[in-house]
Amino acid sequence: DTGVSQNPRHKITKRGQNVTFRCDPISEHNRLYWYRQTLGQGPEFLTYFQNEAQLEKSRLLSDRFSAERPKGSFSTLEIQRTEQGDSAMYLCASSPRGPRDTGELFFGEGSRLTVL
Amino acid sequence: AQSVAQPEDQVNVAEGNPLTVKCTYSVSGNPYLFWYVQYPNRGLQFLLKYITGDNLVKGSYGFEAEFNKSQTSFHLKKPSALVSDSALYFCAVRDLMNTGFQKLVFGTGTRLLVSP
């Protein structure tokens, strides 16, 4: 399968614990996005990488959130000291840069976080 | 900022009947518009997009969408609904910054329920 891969698919944690999600984008895509989706809402942009550089961050991304893409391939999203309000689906998406880029995003299956 | 609105939280239709899921947009410049579908606990799957050209865009699974510039609408349609079309549908618009950064901005979603 050459699509966007996310792990883990589900994570249940207790409030105050740290969690980390991983995203493997489509291999030739150099743009990578993280979105968050809460129940009954559309996906909301969190952060954007072009290769290994994190170029954009939403105000939704509090200090407890950190994202990396160390070699311009896979990315991780870490949430420290989780709160119940962090419960959501975390979606990763990638896209190519260049003439083929029309803005379309290719999404992974998502990582659902439940904070107890 | 670019935005889309989906005025209906839910659309109910009987199998075999035509369906329409509504979306209106607010953009500066030429809109790049998208429809995605989401099944329970899954990521978003691309259905179709409008970039330029014909106002009627054909996409996956028999879906199509009509771009209407005067009404600033991009409604999703299908001539004959299937029970398996029941899912959450999102309209999205590309938000392109002067820096070249782009992301998709999503609506709040419309739940489509097709009854047998």
Side-chain angles (χ1 to χ4, degrees):
Chain A
D1 185 11
T2 56
V4 178
S5 176
Q6 291 189 246
N7 289 289
R9 292 288 315 281
H10 303 276
K11 179 71 176 177
I12 301 174
T13 191
K14 293 182 179 179
R15 183 166 53 91
Q17 298 296 304
N18 298 344
V19 296
T20 299
F21 301 115
R22 176 179 168 127
C23 172
D24 288 87
I26 294 171
S27 58
E28 62 267 27
H29 289 183
N30 59 356
R31 291 179 165 175
L32 187 146
Y33 300 75
W34 285 98
Y35 279 76
R36 181 172 68 186
Q37 184 182 16
T38 53
L39 204 60
Q41 298 297 319
E44 297 173 295
F45 169 76
L46 290 179
T47 190
Y48 162 72
F49 289 85
Q50 185 170 300
N51 300 311
E52 67 277 6
Q54 187 176 21
L55 299 183
E56 292 287 336
K57 289 196 290 187
S58 161
R59 282 171 291 180
L60 292 175
L61 212 64
S62 77
D63 291 345
R64 297 182 298 104
F65 287 68
S66 62
E68 294 182 341
R69 195 182 182 196
K71 297 182 180 179
S73 56
F74 73 92
S75 175
T76 57
L77 177 68
E78 182 183 17
I79 309 173
Q80 295 181 327
R81 304 181 303 281
T82 53
E83 302 174 355
Q84 288 183 329
D86 297 331
S87 295
M89 174 82 91
Y90 290 86
L91 295 164
C92 178
S94 67
S95 72
R97 188 179 184 212
R100 296 181 293 127
D101 183 10
T102 58
E104 177 185 345
L105 296 184
F106 297 78
F107 282 87
E109 294 291 303
S111 293
R112 179 167 294 285
L113 173 65
T114 302
V115 182
L116 301 176
Chain B
Q2 324 289 47
S3 66
V4 290
Q6 295 181 244
E8 304 155 316
D9 289 337
Q10 183 163 312
V11 169
N12 298 306
V13 65
E15 188 173 34
N17 284 358
L19 69 88
T20 298
V21 182
K22 296 180 180 177
C23 173
T24 58
Y25 64 88
S26 174
V27 303
S28 54
N30 295 321
Y32 283 24
L33 296 160
F34 303 80
W35 276 101
Y36 283 82
V37 61
Q38 185 178 36
Y39 296 97
N41 294 312
R42 305 293 295 276
L44 275 69
Q45 296 178 31
F46 171 78
L47 280 178
L48 50 80
K49 63 186 174 189
Y50 172 83
I51 304 300
T52 187
D54 274 347
N55 290 340
L56 187 64
V57 180
K58 294 193 182 295
S60 307
Y61 313 119
F63 283 93
E64 57 190 27
E66 186 171 9
F67 173 71
N68 188 316
K69 188 172 183 179
S70 63
Q71 297 186 2
T72 63
S73 67
F74 187 56
H75 300 334
L76 182 70
K77 301 182 180 186
K78 188 174 182 181
S80 179
L82 299 172
V83 172
S84 57
D85 292 330
S86 299
L88 196 51
Y89 290 81
F90 289 99
C91 180
V93 64
R94 186 185 75 162
D95 188 6
L96 178 63
M97 305 297 186
N98 292 335
T99 57
F101 166 64
Q102 62 180 11
K103 66 178 188 279
L104 290 187
V105 176
F106 288 87
T108 51
T110 298
R111 184 165 302 283
L112 174 66
L113 186 59
V114 182
S115 55

PDB file of all heavy atoms in Angstrom, chain A residues 21-40:
ATOM      1  N   PHE A  21       2.073  10.254  17.960  1.00  0.00           N
ATOM      2  CA  PHE A  21       1.515   9.669  16.752  1.00  0.00           C
ATOM      3  C   PHE A  21       2.534   9.776  15.623  1.00  0.00           C
ATOM      4  O   PHE A  21       3.272  10.754  15.535  1.00  0.00           O
ATOM      5  CB  PHE A  21       0.219  10.376  16.341  1.00  0.00           C
ATOM      6  CG  PHE A  21      -0.839  10.320  17.396  1.00  0.00           C
ATOM      7  CD1 PHE A  21      -1.276  11.474  18.026  1.00  0.00           C
ATOM      8  CD2 PHE A  21      -1.407   9.116  17.758  1.00  0.00           C
ATOM      9  CE1 PHE A  21      -2.263  11.421  19.000  1.00  0.00           C
ATOM     10  CE2 PHE A  21      -2.391   9.056  18.739  1.00  0.00           C
ATOM     11  CZ  PHE A  21      -2.805  10.213  19.365  1.00  0.00           C
ATOM     12  N   ARG A  22       2.515   8.768  14.769  1.00  0.00           N
ATOM     13  CA  ARG A  22       3.444   8.762  13.636  1.00  0.00           C
ATOM     14  C   ARG A  22       2.680   8.784  12.329  1.00  0.00           C
ATOM     15  O   ARG A  22       1.617   8.169  12.204  1.00  0.00           O
ATOM     16  CB  ARG A  22       4.327   7.522  13.685  1.00  0.00           C
ATOM     17  CG  ARG A  22       5.263   7.389  12.482  1.00  0.00           C
ATOM     18  CD  ARG A  22       6.144   6.185  12.542  1.00  0.00           C
ATOM     19  NE  ARG A  22       6.810   5.960  11.266  1.00  0.00           N
ATOM     20  CZ  ARG A  22       8.139   5.819  11.137  1.00  0.00           C
ATOM     21  NH1 ARG A  22       8.917   5.854  12.212  1.00  0.00           N
ATOM     22  NH2 ARG A  22       8.665   5.609   9.954  1.00  0.00           N
ATOM     23  N   CYS A  23       3.243   9.465  11.343  1.00  0.00           N
ATOM     24  CA  CYS A  23       2.654   9.530  10.002  1.00  0.00           C
ATOM     25  C   CYS A  23       3.744   9.250   8.977  1.00  0.00           C
ATOM     26  O   CYS A  23       4.801   9.884   8.994  1.00  0.00           O
ATOM     27  CB  CYS A  23       2.055  10.914   9.757  1.00  0.00           C
ATOM     28  SG  CYS A  23       1.520  11.173   8.045  1.00  0.00           S
ATOM     29  N   ASP A  24       3.474   8.314   8.103  1.00  0.00           N
ATOM     30  CA  ASP A  24       4.340   8.062   6.950  1.00  0.00           C
ATOM     31  C   ASP A  24       3.603   8.527   5.699  1.00  0.00           C
ATOM     32  O   ASP A  24       2.625   7.893   5.290  1.00  0.00           O
ATOM     33  CB  ASP A  24       4.693   6.586   6.855  1.00  0.00           C
ATOM     34  CG  ASP A  24       5.657   6.149   7.935  1.00  0.00           C
ATOM     35  OD1 ASP A  24       5.189   5.781   9.035  1.00  0.00           O
ATOM     36  OD2 ASP A  24       6.873   6.236   7.686  1.00  0.00           O
ATOM     37  N   PRO A  25       4.046   9.597   5.075  1.00  0.00           N
ATOM     38  CA  PRO A  25       3.334  10.126   3.901  1.00  0.00           C
ATOM     39  C   PRO A  25       3.624   9.287   2.659  1.00  0.00           C
ATOM     40  O   PRO A  25       4.462   8.381   2.677  1.00  0.00           O
ATOM     41  CB  PRO A  25       3.925  11.527   3.759  1.00  0.00           C
ATOM     42  CG  PRO A  25       5.318  11.378   4.271  1.00  0.00           C
ATOM     43  CD  PRO A  25       5.229  10.376   5.396  1.00  0.00           C
ATOM     44  N   ILE A  26       2.948   9.623   1.586  1.00  0.00           N
ATOM     45  CA  ILE A  26       3.261   9.028   0.289  1.00  0.00           C
ATOM     46  C   ILE A  26       4.689   9.439  -0.063  1.00  0.00           C
ATOM     47  O   ILE A  26       5.064  10.607   0.108  1.00  0.00           O
ATOM     48  CB  ILE A  26       2.250   9.501  -0.772  1.00  0.00           C
ATOM     49  CG1 ILE A  26       0.872   8.942  -0.421  1.00  0.00           C
ATOM     50  CG2 ILE A  26       2.673   9.078  -2.171  1.00  0.00           C
ATOM     51  CD1 ILE A  26      -0.269   9.486  -1.245  1.00  0.00           C
ATOM     52  N   SER A  27       5.469   8.490  -0.528  1.00  0.00           N
ATOM     53  CA  SER A  27       6.921   8.666  -0.570  1.00  0.00           C
ATOM     54  C   SER A  27       7.381   9.852  -1.411  1.00  0.00           C
ATOM     55  O   SER A  27       8.332  10.533  -1.050  1.00  0.00           O
ATOM     56  CB  SER A  27       7.597   7.391  -1.069  1.00  0.00           C
ATOM     57  OG  SER A  27       7.108   7.050  -2.350  1.00  0.00           O
ATOM     58  N   GLU A  28       6.728  10.173  -2.485  1.00  0.00           N
ATOM     59  CA  GLU A  28       7.212  11.270  -3.313  1.00  0.00           C
ATOM     60  C   GLU A  28       6.625  12.629  -2.928  1.00  0.00           C
ATOM     61  O   GLU A  28       6.894  13.642  -3.569  1.00  0.00           O
ATOM     62  CB  GLU A  28       6.927  10.992  -4.790  1.00  0.00           C
ATOM     63  CG  GLU A  28       5.461  10.857  -5.137  1.00  0.00           C
ATOM     64  CD  GLU A  28       4.966   9.425  -5.105  1.00  0.00           C
ATOM     65  OE1 GLU A  28       5.548   8.615  -4.358  1.00  0.00           O
ATOM     66  OE2 GLU A  28       3.977   9.125  -5.803  1.00  0.00           O
ATOM     67  N   HIS A  29       5.811  12.651  -1.857  1.00  0.00           N
ATOM     68  CA  HIS A  29       5.195  13.890  -1.421  1.00  0.00           C
ATOM     69  C   HIS A  29       6.098  14.602  -0.427  1.00  0.00           C
ATOM     70  O   HIS A  29       6.481  14.042   0.588  1.00  0.00           O
ATOM     71  CB  HIS A  29       3.837  13.623  -0.759  1.00  0.00           C
ATOM     72  CG  HIS A  29       2.782  13.200  -1.720  1.00  0.00           C
ATOM     73  ND1 HIS A  29       1.472  12.962  -1.328  1.00  0.00           N
ATOM     74  CD2 HIS A  29       2.816  13.010  -3.054  1.00  0.00           C
ATOM     75  CE1 HIS A  29       0.758  12.615  -2.389  1.00  0.00           C
ATOM     76  NE2 HIS A  29       1.552  12.640  -3.448  1.00  0.00           N
ATOM     77  N   ASN A  30       6.404  15.870  -0.697  1.00  0.00           N
ATOM     78  CA  ASN A  30       7.257  16.588   0.241  1.00  0.00           C
ATOM     79  C   ASN A  30       6.476  17.522   1.166  1.00  0.00           C
ATOM     80  O   ASN A  30       7.044  18.106   2.070  1.00  0.00           O
ATOM     81  CB  ASN A  30       8.348  17.368  -0.506  1.00  0.00           C
ATOM     82  CG  ASN A  30       7.770  18.379  -1.477  1.00  0.00           C
ATOM     83  OD1 ASN A  30       6.559  18.462  -1.651  1.00  0.00           O
ATOM     84  ND2 ASN A  30       8.628  19.172  -2.095  1.00  0.00           N
ATOM     85  N   ARG A  31       5.189  17.639   0.934  1.00  0.00           N
ATOM     86  CA  ARG A  31       4.362  18.452   1.833  1.00  0.00           C
ATOM     87  C   ARG A  31       3.586  17.535   2.778  1.00  0.00           C
ATOM     88  O   ARG A  31       2.983  16.549   2.340  1.00  0.00           O
ATOM     89  CB  ARG A  31       3.370  19.293   1.032  1.00  0.00           C
ATOM     90  CG  ARG A  31       4.040  20.395   0.234  1.00  0.00           C
ATOM     91  CD  ARG A  31       3.038  21.198  -0.555  1.00  0.00           C
ATOM     92  NE  ARG A  31       3.623  22.449  -1.025  1.00  0.00           N
ATOM     93  CZ  ARG A  31       3.011  23.307  -1.818  1.00  0.00           C
ATOM     94  NH1 ARG A  31       1.789  23.051  -2.246  1.00  0.00           N
ATOM     95  NH2 ARG A  31       3.612  24.422  -2.198  1.00  0.00           N
ATOM     96  N   LEU A  32       3.577  17.879   4.056  1.00  0.00           N
ATOM     97  CA  LEU A  32       2.901  17.054   5.062  1.00  0.00           C
ATOM     98  C   LEU A  32       2.119  17.945   6.010  1.00  0.00           C
ATOM     99  O   LEU A  32       2.633  18.986   6.453  1.00  0.00           O
ATOM    100  CB  LEU A  32       3.918  16.211   5.842  1.00  0.00           C
ATOM    101  CG  LEU A  32       3.368  15.171   6.818  1.00  0.00           C
ATOM    102  CD1 LEU A  32       4.272  13.956   6.863  1.00  0.00           C
ATOM    103  CD2 LEU A  32       3.150  15.746   8.207  1.00  0.00           C
ATOM    104  N   TYR A  33       0.900  17.549   6.289  1.00  0.00           N
ATOM    105  CA  TYR A  33      -0.014  18.329   7.124  1.00  0.00           C
ATOM    106  C   TYR A  33      -0.533  17.467   8.271  1.00  0.00           C
ATOM    107  O   TYR A  33      -0.768  16.265   8.091  1.00  0.00           O
ATOM    108  CB  TYR A  33      -1.234  18.785   6.316  1.00  0.00           C
ATOM    109  CG  TYR A  33      -0.952  19.659   5.122  1.00  0.00           C
ATOM    110  CD1 TYR A  33      -0.434  19.130   3.942  1.00  0.00           C
ATOM    111  CD2 TYR A  33      -1.243  21.019   5.162  1.00  0.00           C
ATOM    112  CE1 TYR A  33      -0.199  19.936   2.836  1.00  0.00           C
ATOM    113  CE2 TYR A  33      -1.023  21.832   4.062  1.00  0.00           C
ATOM    114  CZ  TYR A  33      -0.498  21.274   2.901  1.00  0.00           C
ATOM    115  OH  TYR A  33      -0.277  22.086   1.807  1.00  0.00           O
ATOM    116  N   TRP A  34      -0.766  18.114   9.400  1.00  0.00           N
ATOM    117  CA  TRP A  34      -1.523  17.506  10.490  1.00  0.00           C
ATOM    118  C   TRP A  34      -2.806  18.316  10.671  1.00  0.00           C
ATOM    119  O   TRP A  34      -2.787  19.551  10.706  1.00  0.00           O
ATOM    120  CB  TRP A  34      -0.730  17.506  11.794  1.00  0.00           C
ATOM    121  CG  TRP A  34       0.363  16.490  11.860  1.00  0.00           C
ATOM    122  CD1 TRP A  34       1.692  16.683  11.628  1.00  0.00           C
ATOM    123  CD2 TRP A  34       0.231  15.110  12.238  1.00  0.00           C
ATOM    124  NE1 TRP A  34       2.391  15.510  11.809  1.00  0.00           N
ATOM    125  CE2 TRP A  34       1.516  14.539  12.189  1.00  0.00           C
ATOM    126  CE3 TRP A  34      -0.853  14.304  12.603  1.00  0.00           C
ATOM    127  CZ2 TRP A  34       1.753  13.195  12.491  1.00  0.00           C
ATOM    128  CZ3 TRP A  34      -0.619  12.972  12.899  1.00  0.00           C
ATOM    129  CH2 TRP A  34       0.668  12.433  12.844  1.00  0.00           C
ATOM    130  N   TYR A  35      -3.906  17.588  10.824  1.00  0.00           N
ATOM    131  CA  TYR A  35      -5.203  18.178  11.114  1.00  0.00           C
ATOM    132  C   TYR A  35      -5.775  17.494  12.359  1.00  0.00           C
ATOM    133  O   TYR A  35      -5.431  16.352  12.680  1.00  0.00           O
ATOM    134  CB  TYR A  35      -6.194  17.947   9.953  1.00  0.00           C
ATOM    135  CG  TYR A  35      -6.069  18.890   8.791  1.00  0.00           C
ATOM    136  CD1 TYR A  35      -5.029  18.767   7.864  1.00  0.00           C
ATOM    137  CD2 TYR A  35      -7.002  19.909   8.600  1.00  0.00           C
ATOM    138  CE1 TYR A  35      -4.936  19.631   6.781  1.00  0.00           C
ATOM    139  CE2 TYR A  35      -6.916  20.777   7.519  1.00  0.00           C
ATOM    140  CZ  TYR A  35      -5.883  20.629   6.612  1.00  0.00           C
ATOM    141  OH  TYR A  35      -5.789  21.497   5.547  1.00  0.00           O
ATOM    142  N   ARG A  36      -6.685  18.194  13.021  1.00  0.00           N
ATOM    143  CA  ARG A  36      -7.413  17.603  14.148  1.00  0.00           C
ATOM    144  C   ARG A  36      -8.901  17.683  13.838  1.00  0.00           C
ATOM    145  O   ARG A  36      -9.392  18.708  13.344  1.00  0.00           O
ATOM    146  CB  ARG A  36      -7.114  18.361  15.440  1.00  0.00           C
ATOM    147  CG  ARG A  36      -7.831  17.776  16.652  1.00  0.00           C
ATOM    148  CD  ARG A  36      -7.365  18.433  17.928  1.00  0.00           C
ATOM    149  NE  ARG A  36      -7.775  19.818  18.018  1.00  0.00           N
ATOM    150  CZ  ARG A  36      -7.386  20.636  18.981  1.00  0.00           C
ATOM    151  NH1 ARG A  36      -6.560  20.207  19.918  1.00  0.00           N
ATOM    152  NH2 ARG A  36      -7.813  21.876  19.014  1.00  0.00           N
ATOM    153  N   GLN A  37      -9.596  16.608  14.178  1.00  0.00           N
ATOM    154  CA  GLN A  37     -11.034  16.552  13.941  1.00  0.00           C
ATOM    155  C   GLN A  37     -11.725  16.104  15.218  1.00  0.00           C
ATOM    156  O   GLN A  37     -11.500  14.996  15.698  1.00  0.00           O
ATOM    157  CB  GLN A  37     -11.367  15.587  12.800  1.00  0.00           C
ATOM    158  CG  GLN A  37     -12.842  15.558  12.452  1.00  0.00           C
ATOM    159  CD  GLN A  37     -13.158  14.567  11.359  1.00  0.00           C
ATOM    160  OE1 GLN A  37     -12.368  13.690  11.034  1.00  0.00           O
ATOM    161  NE2 GLN A  37     -14.333  14.699  10.760  1.00  0.00           N
ATOM    162  N   THR A  38     -12.551  16.981  15.754  1.00  0.00           N
ATOM    163  CA  THR A  38     -13.356  16.614  16.920  1.00  0.00           C
ATOM    164  C   THR A  38     -14.748  16.206  16.456  1.00  0.00           C
ATOM    165  O   THR A  38     -15.150  16.491  15.323  1.00  0.00           O
ATOM    166  CB  THR A  38     -13.440  17.772  17.913  1.00  0.00           C
ATOM    167  OG1 THR A  38     -13.884  18.945  17.222  1.00  0.00           O
ATOM    168  CG2 THR A  38     -12.077  18.064  18.531  1.00  0.00           C
ATOM    169  N   LEU A  39     -15.472  15.559  17.360  1.00  0.00           N
ATOM    170  CA  LEU A  39     -16.769  14.983  17.005  1.00  0.00           C
ATOM    171  C   LEU A  39     -17.722  16.052  16.472  1.00  0.00           C
ATOM    172  O   LEU A  39     -17.901  17.097  17.098  1.00  0.00           O
ATOM    173  CB  LEU A  39     -17.366  14.321  18.241  1.00  0.00           C
ATOM    174  CG  LEU A  39     -18.384  13.214  17.968  1.00  0.00           C
ATOM    175  CD1 LEU A  39     -17.761  12.091  17.160  1.00  0.00           C
ATOM    176  CD2 LEU A  39     -18.938  12.678  19.281  1.00  0.00           C
ATOM    177  N   GLY A  40     -18.264  15.779  15.309  1.00  0.00           N
ATOM    178  CA  GLY A  40     -19.241  16.701  14.733  1.00  0.00           C
ATOM    179  C   GLY A  40     -18.651  17.898  14.030  1.00  0.00           C
ATOM    180  O   GLY A  40     -19.388  18.792  13.605  1.00  0.00           O
TER     181      GLY A  40
END
